[in-house]
Amino acid sequence: MDSLPGIVVMGASGRMGQMLIGAVLNSEKARLAGCVERPGHPWIGRDVGEAMGGPAVGVKVTDDALAVIAQAQAVIDFTTPEATVATATLTAQARAVHVIGTTGLAPEHLQKIKAAARHAVIVRAGNMSLGVNLLVQLTRRVAAALDEDFDIEIVEAHHRHKVDAPSGTALMLGQAAAEGRRIGLDECSERGRDGITGERAKGAIGFSAIRGGDIVGEHDVIFAGLGERIVLRHVATDRRIFARGALRAALWGQDQKPGEYDMLDVLGL
């Protein structure tokens, strides 16, 4: 058992944290090496299995990230930008694979993550599912095939608790569309329409966000021309697809050299 790669899950009590813990516990290729929560959290010191409402699994939740990461081979992290940056420093020191599913990362966060990747493998993606990463590839190809007479709009929907918009996945899709047209997304991104906005700018890539209920994740990439529309769509119905993808990334990273990677690398796309 100890020969299996040890995985640490950050943000153990969160919805994704619990999904990740379940994925690792059910895997025959990895073992759960640690579960981390913020200081003062009521789960600290408890067996994580019991804290999740099940049988004990022999791993206690801790707020000492340094201690558990030092003994692990990989860390899976779906937390907050500030927490993720702090974890990246620890994974770089431990030379552990750092799988990042955190969204809402600002340029200053990305710079610090890039620096950490000089010493450790970092796999970062706004979405860990196979289907979404295939959608990214399709979006890039369709955008490259169509000219600016086709407007591009990315519509995404998530549950009411999601705190960032557009979603990380929507931004991945927008970036793919921009790359297909050989332009920078910052140059053409259009968000937050309200009131008298004037006509849509030619070549703009628009984003629309829906929040409500328990929607897991839905993404449409609309290419709207005169007289026709092309719609590429992905609908997630179970968060376990993200956990499975993240675990796959953690295992894949064991054989890689330090650097920044994404799920397209993991999936060989």
Side-chain angles (χ1 to χ4, degrees):
M1 176 68 73
D2 287 345
S3 63
L4 297 176
I7 311 292
V8 171
V9 174
M10 309 300 292
S13 70
R15 281 178 298 177
M16 271 309 303
Q18 294 188 52
M19 288 282 184
L20 291 163
I21 290 165
V24 176
L25 289 174
N26 289 326
S27 173
E28 297 180 351
K29 298 179 180 180
R31 61 184 175 84
L32 187 63
C35 298
V36 179
E37 260 301 343
R38 65 186 182 276
H41 192 279
W43 281 24
I44 300 298
R46 296 181 63 191
D47 183 281
V48 71
E50 294 176 342
M52 290 169 57
V57 298
V59 177
K60 290 187 177 181
V61 181
T62 180
D63 58 4
D64 190 351
L66 176 60
V68 291
I69 291 174
Q71 303 299 318
Q73 285 68 55
V75 176
I76 305 180
D77 183 354
F78 284 67
T79 56
T80 65
E82 292 75 17
T84 293
V85 168
T87 300
T89 299
L90 301 180
T91 56
Q93 293 172 356
R95 304 298 192 265
V97 175
H98 190 183
V99 178
I100 299 174
T102 304
T103 58
L105 295 163
E108 59 268 25
H109 300 133
L110 296 176
Q111 288 178 357
K112 293 177 181 177
I113 289 170
K114 185 178 184 67
R118 293 198 294 265
H119 307 286
V121 172
I122 293 181
V123 181
R124 183 179 64 83
N127 193 298
M128 299 283 176
S129 83
L130 172 61
V132 159
N133 283 279
L134 289 171
L135 180 61
V136 168
Q137 291 288 70
L138 289 170
T139 297
R140 185 180 291 109
R141 292 190 179 189
V142 174
L146 301 176
D147 60 24
E148 290 185 347
D149 287 337
F150 280 81
D151 299 318
I152 301 176
E153 189 79 10
I154 298 167
V155 181
E156 53 102 342
H158 283 88
H159 53 87
R160 65 175 61 163
H161 302 293
K162 188 168 179 62
V163 298
D164 58 312
S167 68
T169 303
L171 293 173
M172 283 173 60
L173 294 167
Q175 183 63 41
E179 289 171 359
R181 287 191 167 172
R182 298 185 179 181
I183 55 177
L185 182 60
D186 291 342
E187 303 168 17
C188 61
S189 178
E190 185 174 293
R191 311 180 190 181
R193 303 184 190 95
D194 185 26
I196 307 301
T197 61
E199 292 187 2
R200 181 190 181 105
K202 189 169 186 178
I205 297 176
F207 293 87
S208 300
I210 297 167
R211 297 288 178 266
D214 61 354
I215 300 170
V216 174
E218 300 178 5
H219 294 85
D220 292 324
V221 184
I222 303 169
F223 296 85
L226 298 178
E228 60 181 335
R229 289 193 304 277
I230 300 167
V231 181
L232 306 178
R233 181 164 222 229
H234 179 269
V235 177
T237 57
D238 188 337
R239 287 187 178 82
R240 283 177 288 191
I241 63 173
F242 310 131
R244 289 194 294 266
L247 178 56
R248 181 170 177 173
L251 296 173
W252 175 88
Q254 301 301 309
D255 299 321
Q256 310 307 314
K257 296 179 180 179
E260 284 189 276
Y261 302 89
D262 59 24
M263 284 302 291
L264 297 180
D265 298 311
V266 174
L267 299 170
L269 298 175

